[in-house]
Amino acid sequence: MQHTQVLIVGAGPTGLALAARLNRFGVMARIIDKHAGVLEATKSAALHARTLEHLRTLEVADRVLAEGQRVDVLQLRTAHRDRIAVDFRTLRDTAYPHMTDIPQARTEHILIDRLADAGVSVERNTTCTRVEQTDDAVTVTVATPEGGTDRIAADWLVGCDGAHSTVRSQLGIAFAGDAYTDDWVLCDAIVDWPLPRNEMTFSADADGICGVFPLPGERRYRLAYTQNRAADGTLVEPSLADAQQALRRAAVTGTIRSVDEFWTFRLAHKQAVRYRSGRVFLAGDAAHVHTPFGGQGLNLGIGDAMNLGWKLASVVTGRSPGSLLDTYQPERHRIARDVVAFTHRGATAMLLRDDARRHLRDAVMTLLQHAPPAQHGLARRFSQLGHSYRRTPRIPGRGSSLAAGDRLPDPLLFDGLTNRSVRLHDLLPSDACTLLLTTTADADPVDASLTELYRRWHGVLTGTVLTTRWGPAVRRGTVDAVPAALDRGRQAARLYGRGPMAYLVRPDRHLAYAGPPDAARIEDCLGSIHTAPARPSSGAAAGTVGPA
């Protein structure tokens, strides 16, 4: 029987991102998929800011940006009028204040190329048929490309095999929720469309919904609309004329010149009641499905992969206790529950049709359009930058405006000495925890207790000091051997407090601790993430924390 540390079932964006994240930590996962190759069928296209940050961690963001179509605004229209313009350019603490539209197939190809460079390939035409597990391992029976069967033993199994997940079914995990009554049509088309190419339009009228999403390529758009019905209630077969009829729901003069192909599908809002059973985890569409309102699905799945990836790798490599994996369920299940509920409310509101409540909907949307804080809140919600693990176990502490569990902001810092700018995230490693200390005072924030903390956790913990104050320590580029960065423009204002502040940053850029630089409290949090390393010899240099 073949053996692997981690087996991933499903080579969609979630499974591929998970494999790439594990590989960054030195874990060579096997990834199998029942399909012969990447499915070129029209699927998800929108990549939001938080996902682009994840793709930067996986070292593929630049390629995605080069191939994709930048979208700055999500315009919601009802009853043939603009209602809310969600402008992602208001996002100030990310390198990606926009969406990027790119066909899902291209995202998958880019991730596959990244894995190939690392020596990892997708095993195609290999179908998971049975899952069995004990306390020590998982055994997966697969149908092979040659038509036979094989068995794979894995220490851990992750089901990323979509809404009709075999892994979830084999585990007997319920997929709770309901299906929608509307059928949907998707197509990629050449369209003469008068609105700006940096704008995605989502429109609704009494006949249903129509979304127009710009894609890379001249006059290329993705159309998504609720399928039309004939007078007798039967579904109208999609055609160019039918799509043109649906486009009129936007009340924007546009002409469809050609269509590549049509796909029809049904939607549901469902979530697995749990994401883990013993040594098996669920991620992506195997764990949750919802409407395409706001383009959340693919992004949510990659978020699952990035959360689970570093934790699973840390446990597999012996750097963390197995209990760290217990945090995946409470952190990601609540996030997905909120997204499923949010997209359900949004789609339901857009599909009120002849319901009298549509007038109230339109009035509320008009009010929100004139409330900048509400628009900014929507931008953060759609972009998934606002996703936080607050109120979950093992996430204590609070900083100035940030709390443990929040995503670390990523402001642009200008270094006048080198005359270049750098993002805060780029100063921190993506494969280790970092103790980020911030101060606006002259005194060094690294005291004896923190120096000892660095010494004890040498090899596990890195450090960075972010300060607004100029001094000899910063001129040397370190504060007591901890790398330092100067923020004279106070671009990282949210990270400063009345005194020195400490943030324990996890590899996924979420905060495990936020508060005063209390070494004992920080070490308690660190101990819940990592197994304490063996003490260095007495001759080891204190504060030798490696590059940040």
Side-chain angles (χ1 to χ4, degrees):
M1 187 185 304
Q2 304 173 58
H3 176 267
T4 186
Q5 290 176 312
V6 180
L7 177 65
I8 300 170
V9 179
T14 301
L16 294 169
L18 177 60
R21 191 66 175 125
L22 290 168
N23 181 262
R24 180 66 179 83
F25 286 84
V27 177
M28 297 288 283
R30 287 182 66 177
I31 180 168
I32 64 173
D33 193 274
K34 65 183 179 180
H35 300 291
V38 173
L39 299 181
E40 301 297 332
T42 295
K43 293 183 182 179
S44 301
L47 299 179
H48 283 287
R50 187 64 177 123
T51 302
L52 292 169
E53 291 181 348
H54 292 320
L55 295 178
R56 179 173 60 172
T57 297
L58 300 178
E59 301 178 345
V60 297
D62 288 346
R63 186 172 170 188
V64 167
L65 293 175
E67 292 193 24
Q69 168 67 44
R70 175 170 172 146
V71 175
D72 296 315
V73 177
L74 169 60
Q75 179 69 62
L76 301 179
R77 292 173 57 81
T78 62
H80 301 165
R81 293 185 181 180
D82 289 347
R83 298 296 179 184
I84 299 178
V86 181
D87 193 338
F88 297 103
R89 291 169 295 192
T90 63
L91 301 172
R92 301 300 184 193
D93 66 343
T94 179
Y96 310 105
H98 55 82
M99 291 170 29
T100 295
D101 278 359
I102 183 172
Q104 178 177 321
R106 286 304 309 148
T107 301
E108 292 182 21
H109 280 298
I110 290 170
L111 286 168
I112 288 169
D113 290 346
R114 174 70 181 85
L115 287 170
D117 291 341
V120 180
S121 61
V122 178
E123 300 174 38
R124 296 288 182 183
N125 293 312
T126 304
T127 304
C128 170
T129 60
R130 185 175 178 81
V131 177
E132 304 167 277
Q133 66 171 315
T134 65
D135 292 340
D136 301 319
V138 185
T139 301
V140 178
T141 303
V142 299
T144 65
E146 296 77 21
T149 61
D150 205 347
R151 302 179 77 206
I152 303 172
D155 296 332
W156 304 95
L157 171 66
V158 186
C160 305
D161 50 340
H164 304 288
S165 170
T166 298
V167 173
R168 187 186 65 239
S169 177
Q170 285 286 305
L171 296 176
I173 296 177
F175 207 35
D178 295 298
Y180 292 97
T181 56
D182 282 287
D183 291 79
W184 284 71
V185 179
L186 273 177
C187 64
D188 289 352
I190 301 297
V191 185
D192 291 333
W193 187 244
L195 297 185
R197 288 277 293 165
N198 70 334
E199 179 178 320
M200 173 188 292
T201 307
F202 203 67
S203 306
D205 69 1
D207 292 325
I209 286 177
C210 182
V212 182
F213 315 133
L215 291 176
E218 185 177 359
R219 296 187 298 158
R220 288 193 63 80
Y221 291 85
R222 173 157 299 170
L223 306 180
Y225 60 92
T226 46
Q227 194 167 1
N228 291 311
R229 291 184 178 271
D232 61 1
T234 59
L235 293 170
V236 174
E237 187 69 21
S239 64
L240 193 150
D242 173 65
Q244 186 68 57
Q245 177 67 30
L247 192 62
R248 295 192 180 98
R249 297 169 187 172
V252 175
T253 303
T255 302
I256 302 173
R257 297 300 181 184
S258 63
V259 175
D260 292 351
E261 190 175 350
F262 289 99
W263 291 269
T264 59
F265 61 98
R266 298 294 297 273
L267 291 174
H269 53 105
K270 294 184 177 183
Q271 186 176 19
V273 296
R274 65 182 190 277
Y275 285 5
R276 180 183 183 183
S277 176
R279 290 179 167 270
V280 185
F281 299 87
L282 300 176
D285 286 356
H288 42 72
V289 294
H290 47 79
T291 78
F293 180 74
Q296 300 292 285
L298 183 155
N299 299 269
L300 190 60
I302 290 181
D304 292 342
M306 299 301 284
N307 181 288
L308 179 59
W310 74 269
K311 296 174 180 177
L312 190 54
S314 294
V315 170
V316 167
T317 57
R319 300 175 67 185
S320 297
S323 58
L324 178 63
L325 295 172
D326 295 336
T327 65
Y328 174 64
Q329 159 83 24
E331 290 184 0
R332 293 306 297 176
H333 196 277
R334 182 175 59 80
I335 292 292
R337 184 181 67 239
D338 290 347
V339 170
V340 171
F342 173 65
T343 55
H344 174 62
R345 289 194 299 269
T348 300
M350 296 291 281
L351 281 168
L352 285 174
R353 291 191 170 102
D354 293 328
D355 193 308
R357 291 175 296 174
R358 72 185 187 279
H359 302 298
L360 176 61
R361 172 203 65 193
D362 295 344
V364 170
M365 293 176 76
T366 301
L367 287 174
L368 292 176
Q369 173 66 17
H370 298 286
Q375 291 183 59
H376 181 69
L378 285 172
R380 288 192 64 79
R381 183 150 199 171
F382 281 121
S383 69
Q384 301 193 359
L385 294 176
H387 287 181
S388 172
Y389 302 135
R390 296 184 187 188
R391 307 190 310 276
T392 53
R394 309 186 191 203
I395 301 290
R398 185 175 185 87
S400 50
S401 64
L402 294 167
D406 290 349
R407 161 192 164 271
L408 176 72
D410 188 25
L412 185 66
L413 310 174
F414 179 72
D415 184 345
L417 295 179
T418 61
N419 201 35
R420 66 182 181 89
S421 297
V422 63
R423 288 283 172 183
L424 178 59
H425 284 192
D426 290 334
L427 298 177
L428 280 55
S430 63
D431 58 354
C433 287
T434 302
L435 181 58
L436 174 65
L437 302 171
T438 68
T439 182
T440 59
D442 289 322
D444 290 348
V446 184
D447 61 17
S449 63
L450 292 176
T451 299
E452 175 62 18
L453 179 69
Y454 285 129
R455 190 189 71 82
R456 281 199 300 271
W457 291 87
H458 172 64
V460 173
L461 180 67
T462 68
T464 293
V465 173
L466 186 63
T467 178
T468 63
R469 308 295 284 186
W470 172 252
V474 177
R475 188 166 63 247
R476 294 194 306 269
T478 64
V479 176
D480 287 344
V482 178
L486 188 64
D487 178 26
R488 292 292 274 182
R490 295 177 182 254
Q491 298 302 306
R494 292 184 65 199
L495 295 170
Y496 301 119
R498 293 183 177 178
M501 298 297 299
Y503 301 93
L504 182 60
V505 186
R506 308 185 327 186
D508 61 356
R509 312 301 196 199
H510 281 266
L511 304 178
Y513 171 84
D518 184 323
R521 294 179 64 193
I522 295 168
E523 189 159 27
D524 283 344
C525 291
L526 191 58
S528 70
I529 296 173
H530 284 301
T531 303
R535 287 181 175 273
S537 63
S538 58
T544 306
V545 296

